[in-house]
Amino acid sequence: MDKLAVLKEYFGHDSFREGQSDLIDHILGGCDVLGIMPTGAGKSLCYQVPALMLKGVTIVISPLISLMKDQVSALVTAGVSAACINSSLTQEEYADTMHRACRGEYSLIYIAPERLGTQEMERLASSLDVAMVTIDEAHCVSQWGQDFRPSYLHISEFIAALPRRPIVSAFTATATDTVRDDIVRLLGLRDPFSLVTGFDRPNLYFSVIKPQNKYTELRRLLNSMGDKCGIVYCLSRRNVEEVCEKLNADGFSATRYHAGLPDSERRMNQDDFIYDRKRIMVATNAFGMGIDKSDVAFVIHYNMPKNIESYYQEAGRAGRDGSPAQCILLYGASDVRTNTFMIERSREDNTALSDEEKDTMLERDKERLKEMTFYSTTSGCLREFMLGYFGEKAPSYCGNCSNCVNGFEEVDITIDAQKIVSCVFRIKQKGQYFGKTMVIDILRGSENERLMSFGFNKLSTYGIMNDVSAKKIRAELDHLISGGYLAFTEGEYPVVELTPLSAKIVKERIPVKMNLPKEKTPSGKRRADDSFYSDNPLFMELKKLRNRLASEANVPAYIVFSDAALRDMCRIRPTTREQFLTVSGVGKRKAEQYGEAFCTLIKEHISSHPEEETAPEGEVSPLQLQLDSLRELVSTKRSVSPRAWSDREEHELAEEFAQGKAIAEIAQLHRRTVGSIRSRLKKMGIIG
């Protein structure tokens, strides 16, 4: 059988995903390989398919019992002879598995890395014809990886002790350049074929929220999810218990998972989530690796994780089936302190390493915590920041993260930066360093007792930013730290310090800019074009029609259409159902319900008011902007699409929209979701 026949017969697929075929071909050609593929990209097939084609057994080294059991169960169900050897087996099961393994009855054997050095495993390995050794979660071999496991360092010794050297394949979802180099070196891969399929998951929407009250925000988010299932990650077991208890008391269908629970309860709770008996799993990072639930619609981090690698791996458990999914981080400044404490405690708990190795890991973990904090406080594109961390270039606007969707603008903060740096300098002159809160309190002129006791109310910078919100000052302070203009030292008492760049702000007065969310128009002020709509005859007629329809349906007027939708109708003036679907706030259902009535009114109004102004003075119709952009795009055949879209598809999409076809119609033509088409048009700059 060739690889496609194996894929179809055992796994039921007709074709391979990106990267799978190349990795399989190199394995079958006798090459070592390193595959770095995001969660949901199908890493396991890259070694399972060749394992069924190679002569001999494939040993898969895997770090988690749950991951082994899930994969072995799936393989056995598919008709593959496979087994796992780990501590979950009874003595009878272990003896039977070892006996059958020695007789060569298995194509794949999953083994925990801790068992590699045992005499039984050495005897088993020497009696087998080992065709391939596969290392899953290969980043665990690197001290610079997020899940370093000392037992992984013995894998190369195990391979070297085999009667003949097998093919070695290694796979992971996330790895920086440093971790990739460590994987190759520490596992002894020989001139491996390396493939990185790309870290981007276009179907995932990334968001960072800085709530006043985390639980209140969590409850609001979960209410908005409807009956979708998802995971809520917490930093500690105590948080898991508290959050799960509150959610159940508030009527949510939630269960819990952490290492402190009995094995039987963890298994039961995991099954409740996987089999949809419970909608929400509240867990520590002990949950998730190897869980193949494909319909997870959201992953909410109640606390900021210790590093971006962990965050991306955990967030990536959403949308495994390619459906749109949300990855939301609830950030609070206390998360940094909690993570710092946990990192320092883990140094003392890790008895398998020397003091020098512990110090190296401590330095690494604190540096990665800084990067995670920068991600949580950036005002730029979240996707660009994350992909850039993994060495992948990305546009500065993705259109599918909270910063891009909410919008941000570049703001000159030079004056504020000078005030902030000067404040830190004045504190230093007093022979002191303090954390962010104290710096903010001084700048805002707080009268708290601790501040006054140090005499900071006498500093020249005291109260010089009393008209600026603490939230904005903290954002600017974080921006200065991320840019190296100030430093933030970790430890039991983290403090803000000066850097060599600090003087450039105060003495050289270099300009400092940052991206800040666009401020919303205050509700008490009228927008410049409000008078146009308030006096516009068409707008008034549309409002009357809306109010009549709302009254007939016994619903509030905004349920039919918002004022924003009516304004869009004034600008676009749709007279057909296809045009009506391009109005902001109009979906298929509303188009079916109200399209004919509104289009008829607009058509009659245009006929009776042919000379009427169509938009406020100086304002270009969004439709006109779309068509102008499309003409340029189509004429130059410019393509800015990701790999998932070919140049031909991009060109066709642009032409179809230019011809006036609605998004829903285009989605149907391309057999894609409306959301996918809308997102693509946004990225092309065609719609807002």
Side-chain angles (χ1 to χ4, degrees), residues 409-476:
E409 56 189 348
E410 191 174 60
V411 177
D412 190 322
I413 63 162
T414 304
I415 301 300
D416 284 0
Q418 291 168 358
K419 292 176 181 178
I420 294 169
V421 172
S422 294
C423 185
V424 177
F425 176 73
R426 297 302 176 197
I427 297 172
K428 182 191 175 186
Q429 283 186 319
K430 288 257 189 184
Q432 302 279 350
Y433 275 112
F434 281 89
K436 298 177 185 178
T437 302
M438 179 64 82
V439 174
I440 294 168
D441 283 348
I442 294 170
L443 290 165
R444 298 193 74 236
S446 170
E447 295 181 359
N448 74 62
E449 189 176 332
R450 188 161 178 258
L451 183 155
M452 308 291 267
S453 69
F454 283 104
F456 290 154
N457 58 318
K458 296 187 172 91
L459 294 178
S460 60
T461 53
Y462 178 75
I464 60 173
M465 296 181 73
N466 59 2
D467 58 341
V468 182
S469 70
K471 183 178 180 181
K472 185 179 180 185
I473 297 175
R474 183 176 288 275
E476 293 175 341

Side-chain angles (χ1 to χ4, degrees), residues 213 371 594:
N213 183 296
E371 291 294 329
Y594 307 120

